[in-house]
Amino acid sequence: MSQVFSIFTALHRPTIRRMNRVAYGACTIAVVLYLVLAYAGLSEYGRELQEDILSNLGHRTVVTGMIQLLMAVNIGLCFPMNVYPSRFTIEMLLFSESKPSAFRGNLISAIFVLSAALIAITLPKITTVFSIIGSTSAVLVSFVLPAAFYIHINTGSIIHLTKEPLASILLIGSVIFGVFATLSSILSTLYPELIESR
């Protein structure tokens, strides 16, 4: 999602129709690859399939070692592409009036990298990160903010919930759902035995 603008400007003749084709093509390829990987993992390991399929491969052969090395290279090369839009956004929000500074940009990038490293060391399971991000950011971006923006645009204030009842129901319901989903993710991280005992 963060690459949309840079991809759009890199198109030979940038138009919305061409960008839609690129987005549909990229999503289609990603879905097909995910389905192939899911089917292959499920058919090979069945109920023994772990959350991270690389854990099933182990370290027995050179091929599995190469697969794990390529995955590490992939993550290493994708990380800067995700840091740049975040750094740019923070610089625009906090330092929009200031002159560009290489030191400030490098400092923000270093904070991102160190934060990611600390999270990776502290939370060894990627599913923990995905569940917390999904329960907070996904709910916020997909439901809470659109409903709040819609209410604010149509009524002039976020407080006038009665004037837009359907959007208000979506807003309140998604906030409640997001809080419970986030609490559930945090509790399952802190007390994994609660889930394993079910």
Side-chain angles (χ1 to χ4, degrees), residues 170-193:
L170 177 63
L171 176 65
I172 294 167
S174 56
V175 166
I176 292 169
F177 175 78
V179 167
F180 279 112
T182 303
L183 286 174
S184 173
S185 297
I186 292 170
L187 288 175
S188 66
T189 302
L190 296 176
Y191 306 105
E193 63 274 4

Side-chain angles (χ1 to χ4, degrees), residues 89-128:
T89 303
I90 287 176
E91 287 200 62
M92 288 298 104
L93 284 173
L94 301 179
F95 308 106
S96 59
E97 303 297 322
S98 304
K99 291 181 180 178
S101 166
F103 174 76
R104 185 176 60 234
N106 291 336
L107 180 64
I108 294 170
S109 296
I111 291 170
F112 270 114
V113 171
L114 290 175
S115 301
L118 287 174
I119 290 170
I121 292 167
T122 308
L123 301 172
K125 285 189 174 183
I126 191 68
T127 52
T128 304

